[in-house]
Amino acid sequence: MREKAVERRNVNKEHNSNFKAGYIPIDEDRLHKTGLRGRKGNLAICVIILLFILAVINLTITLVIWAVIRIGPNGCDSMEFHESGLLRFKQVSDMGVIHPLYKSTVGGRRNENLVITGNNQPIVFQQGTTKLSVEKNKTSITSDIGMQFFDPRTQNILFSTDYETHEFHLPSGVKSLNVQKASTERITSNATSDLNIKVDGRAIVRGNEGVFIMGKTIEFHMGGNMELKAENSIILNGTVMVSTTRLPSSSSEHQFGAGEWVRYKLCVCADGTLFKVQVTGQNMGCQVSDHPCGNSL
């Protein structure tokens, strides 16, 4: 009994002092690892950073919208949205380019003016090829398809370039029309005013089937030369007066037909036909043998 007790005590002592009992050496690299490690961890960090950047951008946009549109607890302080699609600005707005939708209308309130201001830049309204430009010294309208102005209340046409349907008239209050080139069937004025055509340089009047100028009194004032060309004939029907104050003339000591000058006399037939005769001597008339007047000179 004593030997068994000693043996049991020795076994218990050995077990109590053996700290490696039940230990099995294992390679940790072969164990299953939990969590995000390696590339997955780096990818997760990148996603978190990207979400943070998007959150900052979203916050910035929200602050800008809140500061510009002035969105508050009572709604938007600077504009109104209506069910009909109307967008109404209630305060002064600073915008660069506005793109309205198809067949949109830009207008003001009933009893208030619509004020559009450009800061040292022209104000341009453009729809397709039609453009209205309002500048400091002029207002220009260009269009390839024509234009038409009408009263929105009465729908009466005030001005139109549809010459096939409406005759071209200047709007009320417009006294002059400045164009570079005009193609029309006729140009006329009303019965109580004169028709004045003024140019700074050279004016060319051309007709495919002739040019007819009619009026009570027709006056031509020019600083240079006036040239009349026709394929068949030029007819002056009425009293023709030519002011010779600005016409060139030679002194009496120059001999006719001598020197560098060749002079002609303008002659008129009884039917209005014009022709020229070379001046070869003093007091020379239009009685030449080859005149086109026949017996009506």
Side-chain angles (χ1 to χ4, degrees):
M1 295 294 293
R2 184 174 178 276
E3 292 178 356
K4 291 182 178 180
V6 173
E7 183 178 0
R8 187 182 300 110
R9 187 167 52 251
N10 293 334
V11 171
N12 293 333
K13 184 178 180 180
E14 181 179 359
H15 282 287
N16 292 332
S17 61
N18 187 9
F19 296 99
K20 293 183 179 181
Y23 174 79
I24 302 175
I26 299 175
D27 190 1
E28 294 184 359
D29 295 334
R30 296 182 180 182
L31 294 176
H32 179 70
K33 299 179 180 179
T34 59
L36 299 175
R37 301 172 183 270
R39 295 182 179 179
K40 293 182 179 180
N42 297 332
L43 181 60
I45 295 175
C46 294
V47 171
I48 294 174
I49 295 176
L50 180 61
L51 292 177
F52 177 76
I53 295 175
L54 292 177
V56 173
I57 295 175
N58 190 15
L59 177 61
T60 304
I61 295 175
T62 303
L63 294 177
V64 171
I65 294 176
W66 177 79
V68 174
I69 306 181
R70 297 180 179 90
I71 299 178
N74 298 325
C76 184
D77 295 337
S78 60
M79 62 179 62
E80 293 178 354
F81 297 89
H82 296 262
E83 295 181 356
S84 61
L86 174 65
L87 174 61
R88 175 178 295 170
F89 293 92
K90 300 189 294 184
Q91 297 179 358
V92 178
S93 302
D94 185 6
M95 292 173 283
V97 180
I98 303 176
H99 297 279
L101 299 177
Y102 179 69
K103 292 185 178 180
S104 298
T105 302
V106 179
R109 296 179 180 269
R110 181 181 299 272
N111 299 324
E112 296 181 5
N113 296 327
L114 176 62
V115 180
I116 301 177
T117 305
N119 296 328
N120 298 325
Q121 295 293 332
I123 300 174
V124 179
F125 299 90
Q126 185 171 357
Q127 177 65 35
T129 59
T130 303
K131 181 172 67 174
L132 168 63
S133 178
V134 181
E135 302 180 26
K136 182 178 180 180
N137 298 323
K138 66 177 182 179
T139 299
S140 61
I141 302 175
T142 57
S143 177
D144 295 340
I145 59 176
M147 64 191 70
Q148 179 174 294
F149 298 90
F150 61 91
D151 191 337
R153 296 180 177 85
T154 62
Q155 299 299 319
N156 294 331
I157 296 177
L158 304 177
F159 175 78
S160 175
T161 57
D162 186 6
Y163 308 138
E164 297 180 357
T165 307
H166 306 90
E167 187 175 358
F168 179 82
H169 292 283
L170 289 178
S172 177
V174 179
K175 302 298 182 180
S176 62
L177 180 65
N178 187 2
V179 296
Q180 297 292 333
K181 182 179 180 181
S183 177
T184 180
E185 295 182 358
R186 69 188 183 99
I187 302 176
T188 182
S189 63
N190 54 35
T192 60
S193 61
D194 297 333
L195 175 62
N196 297 322
I197 300 177
K198 299 180 181 180
V199 294
D200 296 331
R202 182 180 181 184
I204 300 176
V205 181
R206 182 185 294 111
N208 296 330
E209 298 182 358
V211 177
F212 300 90
I213 303 176
M214 295 179 291
K216 182 178 180 180
T217 303
I218 302 174
E219 296 182 1
F220 295 94
H221 300 274
M222 60 208 70
N225 300 327
M226 185 178 76
E227 183 178 359
L228 301 176
K229 288 184 179 181
E231 294 183 358
N232 296 325
S233 61
I234 298 176
I235 300 176
L236 300 177
N237 187 9
T239 303
V240 180
M241 300 179 61
V242 179
S243 177
T244 60
T245 56
R246 303 185 63 180
L247 293 178
S249 62
S250 61
S251 59
S252 59
E253 68 253 10
H254 288 83
Q255 298 296 326
F256 295 99
E260 298 180 356
W261 286 34
V262 178
R263 299 192 299 171
Y264 292 89
K265 177 178 289 187
L266 180 65
C267 300
V268 184
C269 300
D271 58 355
T273 303
L274 296 177
F275 66 96
K276 64 181 180 179
V277 175
Q278 184 176 358
V279 178
T280 58
Q282 293 182 353
N283 300 325
M284 181 177 176
C286 296
Q287 297 290 343
V288 293
S289 60
D290 57 347
H291 62 79
C293 302
N295 296 327
S296 61
L297 181 63

